């Protein structure tokens, strides 16, 4: 299960990846304000997917703990 520290570390790493992609775009002459490329959208989608899984795991854990208290 992902803790808040793990989630924060993942967000920091994602920000570093996006910064590196922007630096690469500037070096090859692309406008950094051009909008998101396909690769950026894939990275964003992966981050959202991982956050959804982490939230689902946390909710499942909380529900299971409550069920254990009841039964």
């Amino acid at each position: 299960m992902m803790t808040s520290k793990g989630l924060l570390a993942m967000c920091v790493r994602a920000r570093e990846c996006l910064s590196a992609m922007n630096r690469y775009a500037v070096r090859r002459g692309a406008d950094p304000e051009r909008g998101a490329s396909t690769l950026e959208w894939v990275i964003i989608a992966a981050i959202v997917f991982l956050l959804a899984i982490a939230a689902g795991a946390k909710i499942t854990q909380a529900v299971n703990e409550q069920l254990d208290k009841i039964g």
Side-chain angles (χ1 to χ4, degrees):
M1 185 176 76
M2 187 174 292
T3 63
S4 58
K5 286 184 181 180
L7 187 59
L8 179 61
M10 185 179 70
C11 290
V12 168
R13 181 68 183 133
R15 179 71 180 143
E16 290 170 359
C17 288
L18 290 174
S19 295
M21 288 174 24
N22 282 337
R23 286 192 304 271
Y24 174 71
V26 169
R27 272 190 302 207
R28 69 173 195 240
D31 180 15
E33 300 297 323
R34 75 201 179 295
S37 68
T38 302
L39 180 59
E40 290 167 335
W41 280 113
V42 168
I43 291 172
I44 292 168
I47 291 169
V48 169
F49 179 74
L50 290 174
L51 289 174
I53 288 177
K58 188 70 173 172
I59 291 169
T60 301
Q61 178 189 10
V63 168
N64 286 336
E65 287 175 0
Q66 289 298 322
L67 287 175
D68 289 341
K69 288 179 182 178
I70 294 172

